[in-house]
Amino acid sequence: VQRQSLASANLTKMNTLRRIERIKFYCRLCLLVVNVGSAYQRIRRDDDDDGQSVLVPSVLCHGGMLCPGERGVECIVEEERLRRLSYVGRRTGRRTCPGGTPVVPKSRMSGGCGGGGGGWTNVSATTRLAALTAGELLHVYRPLYWTTAERNHAAHDLDALRHGGGGLAASTGARSGRMELLKSWIVSLAMDVLSHRLTLAAAGGCGGGGGGVDTPSGIIGMLKHPNNDVNTARLPPATAEELKRRKMRWMLYLLRCPVWDVMTRPVAGGLADVVGRFVPLLGRPVANYVMDLLVYWQRHHFMLEG
């Protein structure tokens, strides 16, 4: 009876969290629609003016939270910066491809470009915007997906307790629920990794202003080789900082079930025991404090979503 009451309370909590994440998802989606619409209008305007459109790869920072004293960067400033990066001249060491798109030579690229299937050469700004939008959609949907998976896991546990009565059937049902949650954990991590890769792809690699013509080899190269030095230069500072923040938050996956129960908590507990046993005076208090902090984060990690 006590286990059922705890499982019922946990399900109520998960239902509330899912409602909160659903509201946050719709708010973030509205911000994303406004941003994508503005970016698309700028691309169309640039195409009509000089045929050289520039995509400013901006992303949703801090989950849409407005920080006190936050200052934005005007898109026109970033467009001019990206145009300077695309300048073709003897001093820059850049050359011009047959299609007219400036490219950085292989000797200055970490991941290579140009050869091997065309790389980034023939990818339009509209395609880059589509990649950026897909990455942001994955980013804003992932918290709702994971919260829904946790809610379904809580409901599965409660049903197993009610119908299994705590015997073998309940144990089998709990094992099945953990496997489903592990699958959701893997999918959630894959969504974060793919979102990060798509955002880097949207930043452009060797392409110039982004006004190229889409080719299959160019699109495949964009998605296959997004990680290079030019990408970092093509990212606005706010976007680069946000991507670093998102990547650091991948560590939170160690606090999420079932990885927390299977790996993180046993390993952290063992290390805490070793530190407390062999480090005199401050070893045990510090180890206990760190363990309490990890347990707190694990119980309330939903507050760190997004």
Side-chain angles (χ1 to χ4, degrees):
V1 176
Q2 184 178 3
R3 292 179 61 186
Q4 288 188 17
S5 62
L6 291 176
S8 179
N10 186 43
L11 178 59
T12 302
K13 172 186 173 182
M14 289 297 110
N15 283 329
T16 303
L17 296 182
R18 187 176 64 167
R19 294 189 187 99
I20 294 175
E21 288 297 338
R22 184 179 290 126
I23 294 173
K24 291 164 65 176
F25 168 73
Y26 287 128
C27 292
R28 291 165 178 167
L29 191 62
C30 291
L31 292 175
L32 180 60
V33 169
V34 172
N35 181 70
V36 172
S38 301
Y40 183 72
Q41 290 178 1
R42 287 194 300 271
I43 291 174
R44 293 295 299 272
R45 185 187 65 242
D46 291 342
D47 285 337
D48 293 339
D49 291 343
D50 55 9
Q52 289 294 323
S53 56
V54 174
L55 172 66
V56 178
S58 57
V59 297
L60 187 67
C61 295
H62 298 282
M65 180 179 64
L66 183 63
C67 300
E70 180 180 358
R71 294 185 59 186
V73 180
E74 295 183 4
C75 288
I76 188 172
V77 177
E78 276 300 313
E79 288 177 358
E80 290 301 321
R81 187 178 75 90
L82 295 180
R83 289 183 192 278
R84 288 196 298 270
L85 286 176
S86 303
Y87 173 73
V88 180
R90 185 172 298 176
R91 291 182 179 180
T92 64
R94 286 187 280 264
R95 58 183 176 81
T96 303
C97 283
T101 306
V103 187
V104 179
K106 285 185 181 180
S107 60
R108 297 184 56 187
M109 295 296 298
S110 61
C113 108
W120 302 74
T121 305
N122 295 313
V123 180
S124 66
T126 305
T127 302
R128 297 183 194 275
L129 179 60
L132 179 67
T133 305
E136 287 300 283
L137 280 174
L138 288 173
H139 173 69
V140 301
Y141 176 66
R142 201 275 311 158
L144 178 59
Y145 170 81
W146 176 249
T147 308
T148 302
E150 285 192 312
R151 183 266 169 199
N152 294 337
H153 177 65
H156 187 278
D157 285 348
L158 182 59
D159 290 340
L161 288 174
R162 285 177 176 175
H163 298 93
L168 180 61
S171 177
T172 304
R175 190 180 302 110
S176 175
R178 283 195 297 269
M179 290 302 299
E180 290 297 324
L181 189 62
L182 178 60
K183 294 177 182 178
S184 300
W185 186 91
I186 296 174
V187 172
S188 181
L189 178 59
M191 291 170 69
D192 270 338
V193 173
L194 182 58
S195 171
H196 186 81
R197 194 174 184 88
L198 285 171
T199 303
L200 287 179
C206 321
V213 179
D214 294 328
T215 64
S217 61
I219 296 175
I220 293 174
M222 179 184 73
L223 298 176
K224 191 175 181 181
H225 304 289
N227 298 304
N228 50 59
D229 295 335
V230 181
N231 266 31
T232 305
R234 290 183 178 278
L235 287 174
T239 300
E241 290 298 323
E242 172 63 15
L243 290 182
K244 291 179 182 178
R245 186 189 75 90
R246 293 182 184 181
K247 202 167 186 178
M248 288 295 296
R249 292 170 69 86
W250 292 358
M251 297 295 294
L252 290 177
Y253 280 96
L254 296 176
L255 302 179
R256 293 174 180 145
C257 295
V259 174
W260 166 259
D261 296 326
V262 175
M263 184 183 71
T264 307
R265 183 167 58 182
V267 172
L271 290 177
D273 291 339
V274 171
V275 172
R277 183 176 303 175
F278 293 101
V279 178
L281 297 179
L282 296 179
R284 188 166 296 279
V286 171
N288 291 337
Y289 174 76
V290 173
M291 278 301 302
D292 291 341
L293 192 61
L294 286 176
V295 171
Y296 175 81
W297 281 348
Q298 197 277 331
R299 289 178 179 174
H300 303 284
H301 69 79
F302 66 92
M303 295 165 27
L304 304 176
E305 291 284 1

